[in-house]
Amino acid sequence: MFNLMHVPQLANDDKNTGLITGAIEEQMDADRQNTEDIIAAEESNTTTIINNNNENTEKITNGYDNSALNAENDKLNNSLTEYDNAEKQVMDKVNHALDDINFNQSLDNYMQPILLCSTFMQRLYDNSGGFKDVINLTLIVSIASIVIGIYRFKGGD
């Protein structure tokens, strides 16, 4: 008798359980479909953003007009080449003139003017007082500059 009373109840419970399970499965399918739609939309948006960034990068990289800058570079290079050629011509003339220096006359002919000038300079130096240090420094710098200049004119580095 117990079974007769509870069998309809069990059948009804089974039916309700089937309905609940079906509703849960339908909700899960709907949620799964929504999740797939969201993922597809995000993937489409990401692809659109990447393509847009690639297009913008292409415009920036290849769309920049640097012809004016290239023209200025060519102009500068031409000017530098002209200056190099002009300097080479001047240096060739100076080196040629330095190479042509020779002492054909006797040493006595050169010593008289040097002796006269050195005697005058020595007297000037002796009478300069505290200004001697400045004269010494100037003389050292002058001699060093002359030596460096001659070395450079002769083709030194």
Side-chain angles (χ1 to χ4, degrees):
M1 176 121 140
F2 181 78
N3 284 340
L4 290 174
M5 288 179 5
H6 292 308
V7 168
Q9 179 67 31
L10 289 173
N12 191 26
D13 287 347
D14 285 343
K15 183 179 177 187
N16 287 339
T17 303
L19 291 174
I20 292 170
T21 305
I24 290 172
E25 286 177 358
E26 285 177 16
Q27 184 62 40
M28 286 178 57
D29 287 341
D31 288 346
R32 184 178 303 113
Q33 185 61 43
N34 286 339
T35 303
E36 288 175 1
D37 291 344
I38 290 170
I39 290 171
E42 289 296 323
E43 184 177 330
S44 174
N45 287 341
T46 302
T47 303
T48 302
I49 289 170
I50 289 172
N51 289 339
N52 189 32
N53 286 344
N54 287 344
E55 183 179 328
N56 289 339
T57 302
E58 184 70 24
K59 286 179 184 175
I60 289 171
T61 304
N62 296 328
Y64 176 71
D65 181 21
N66 62 351
S67 60
L69 182 62
N70 288 339
E72 289 298 319
N73 280 342
D74 291 341
K75 187 177 175 182
L76 176 63
N77 287 337
N78 291 339
S79 295
L80 291 176
T81 303
E82 288 176 19
Y83 284 126
D84 285 342
N85 290 337
E87 183 182 5
K88 184 174 179 351
Q89 289 175 355
V90 169
M91 294 303 290
D92 287 343
K93 287 180 184 178
V94 170
N95 285 335
H96 182 68
L98 288 177
D99 289 338
D100 287 346
I101 294 176
N102 53 21
F103 298 99
N104 294 332
Q105 299 181 12
S106 69
L107 190 58
D108 290 337
N109 291 342
Y110 295 108
M111 291 305 292
Q112 290 299 327
I114 292 173
L115 184 60
L116 179 66
C117 183
S118 65
T119 304
F120 171 74
M121 295 301 282
Q122 183 64 40
R123 288 185 185 155
L124 185 65
Y125 178 76
D126 289 338
N127 294 326
S128 65
F131 199 61
K132 288 180 183 177
D133 292 334
V134 175
I135 294 172
N136 288 337
L137 182 61
T138 305
L139 181 64
I140 291 170
V141 170
S142 298
I143 292 172
S145 297
I146 291 170
V147 169
I148 291 170
I150 289 174
Y151 174 74
R152 203 169 153 236
F153 285 139
K154 286 290 190 177
D157 293 336

